[in-house]
Amino acid sequence: MSTSSVLSTEKTMEKSDLLKDMVAVVTGSGRGIGKAIATVLAQAGAKIVINDINVDLSKATAEEFKSQGFDAIDAPCNVTVSEQIEKMVETVMNKYGRIDILVNNAGITRDDLFMRMSEEHWQAVIDTNLTSAFKVTQPVLKIMSKQRRGRIINIASTSGVHGNPGQVNYAAAKAGLIGFTKTVALEYATRNITSNAVAPGFIDTDMTKALGEDKIKKVVERIPLGRMGLPEDIAQAVLFFAGPGSYVTGQVIEVSGGLYT
Ligand SMILES: NC(=O)c1ccc[n+]([C@@H]2O[C@H](COP(=O)([O-])OP(=O)(O)OC[C@H]3O[C@@H](n4cnc5c(N)ncnc54)[C@H](O)[C@@H]3O)[C@@H](O)[C@H]2O)c1
């Protein structure tokens, strides 16, 4: 994510205590959309757990949050590995004793046309973008169930809603994540736990920068609002779902500037 977009959030967002005393775990929050989500939740008063597969990035990001006066820790792990997830949850519980908000944000792309898609790339994307949510959410839901309060927010994609050529693995994983979101919503509503998804369109992060300028230009031409989204655009939608009094569950909101695929 570009530094300017983080700074623009800092400038425009007032600090509030909407999420005071709440603990938020954001996976893949070392950079990009996850970092912007962590920033907005911290500005709303939440205590933040920075998780990333990149240990140094997790640490540096948590330090950055602390230097801005936010209450934050780093709990790095690979969200595809159950033993590492257990340790992450243990670290959070030892420090804060609760988890109120879980944002399943960590994700990767391994794009290719369907006939050229290798099984390895298929599986890597399913593991990181879908199975990880199952593995991380299970232990967290046990904690939220005892608390009788929780917010699960999954970062899907418009690709998972509408499909996208070259992304059969990614679209399948994100569509699966939407089914996951709706089912968790139904199973956990009686425990005062909501489960919702945000489906970003085309957002300015390192993930999309990797596509190169030509491809980016072509996609931007198709966006009705005429620009790429910023990570903060996604973070604002997450904040909506994270609020304590929310009566919304099982929903998917597309944050895409009107882009349909
Ligand atoms: N950028 C977009 O246009 C866009 C569009 C739709 C959806 N999304 C989704 O938003 C989320 C964030 O994307 P981004 O653009 O910020 O990507 P990004 O690549 O900039 O950041 C993703 C972060 O996740 C971390 N990560 C990757 N695998 C991990 C693992 N196994 N365990 C823990 N951390 C891991 C990475 O180290 C990285 O810091 C992803 O789920 C992505 O699919 C992005």
Side-chain angles (χ1 to χ4, degrees):
M1 178 180 54
S2 69
T3 318
S4 60
S5 54
V6 172
L7 291 176
S8 71
T9 306
E10 282 164 7
K11 272 189 221 143
T12 54
M13 279 288 295
E14 291 288 323
K15 286 189 184 178
S16 78
D17 57 6
L18 179 76
L19 304 179
K20 190 170 176 286
D21 299 329
M22 294 195 191
V23 177
V25 176
V26 185
T27 68
S29 52
R31 70 180 197 188
I33 291 172
K35 187 175 177 185
I37 291 168
T39 303
V40 166
L41 297 182
Q43 285 167 334
K47 299 172 171 70
I48 301 296
V49 180
I50 301 291
N51 158 271
D52 207 280
I53 193 171
N54 182 329
V55 177
D56 294 339
L57 191 62
S58 287
K59 197 171 168 38
T61 304
E63 287 305 323
E64 196 183 319
F65 274 59
K66 283 189 248 178
S67 74
Q68 290 169 14
F70 297 129
D71 192 341
I73 57 164
D74 61 307
C77 82
N78 180 343
V79 291
T80 67
V81 183
S82 299
E83 300 74 48
Q84 292 188 23
I85 295 166
E86 269 169 41
K87 275 197 182 150
M88 173 185 74
V89 172
E90 204 180 296
T91 303
V92 180
M93 291 307 280
N94 285 342
K95 169 76 180 174
Y96 294 125
R98 57 186 301 115
I99 300 176
D100 301 280
I101 299 161
L102 169 65
V103 185
N104 287 308
N105 164 80
I108 57 168
T109 50
R110 295 287 183 273
D111 296 353
D112 219 334
L113 290 171
F114 177 64
M115 277 301 167
R116 290 209 293 250
M117 177 70 61
S118 68
E119 197 175 328
E120 187 196 342
H121 283 181
W122 169 268
Q123 200 58 49
V125 168
I126 298 292
D127 288 348
T128 307
N129 297 16
L130 176 58
T131 310
S132 68
F134 165 72
K135 289 186 175 182
V136 176
T137 306
Q138 214 170 40
V140 171
L141 269 175
K142 280 188 195 143
I143 294 161
M144 288 179 172
S145 292
K146 284 194 195 131
Q147 295 170 180
R148 297 261 154 188
R149 178 166 96 172
R151 299 278 177 261
I152 309 284
I153 300 149
N154 298 313
I155 307 304
S157 167
T158 48
S159 297
V161 182
H162 306 287
N164 195 25
Q167 288 200 311
V168 70
N169 50 356
Y170 187 79
K174 296 298 191 181
L177 192 57
I178 290 170
F180 172 91
T181 302
K182 289 173 184 273
T183 303
V184 167
L186 294 173
E187 288 195 17
Y188 282 85
T190 55
R191 293 174 182 85
N192 191 28
I193 296 166
T194 63
S195 168
N196 293 285
V198 177
F202 199 54
I203 313 301
D204 187 6
T205 68
D206 291 321
M207 181 182 271
T208 42
K209 275 192 185 81
L211 295 172
E213 275 188 24
D214 280 356
K215 174 94 204 255
I216 290 174
K217 199 165 161 265
K218 276 190 190 135
V219 180
V220 171
E221 278 166 8
R222 291 172 32 227
I223 301 174
L225 283 181
R227 65 166 175 91
M228 286 179 92
L230 295 175
E232 294 71 30
D233 295 320
I234 307 308
Q236 291 304 327
V238 170
L239 180 63
F240 169 74
F241 287 134
S246 179
Y247 187 57
V248 180
T249 195
Q251 300 303 306
V252 186
I253 185 165
E254 291 182 49
V255 182
S256 67
L259 183 71
Y260 267 35
T261 60

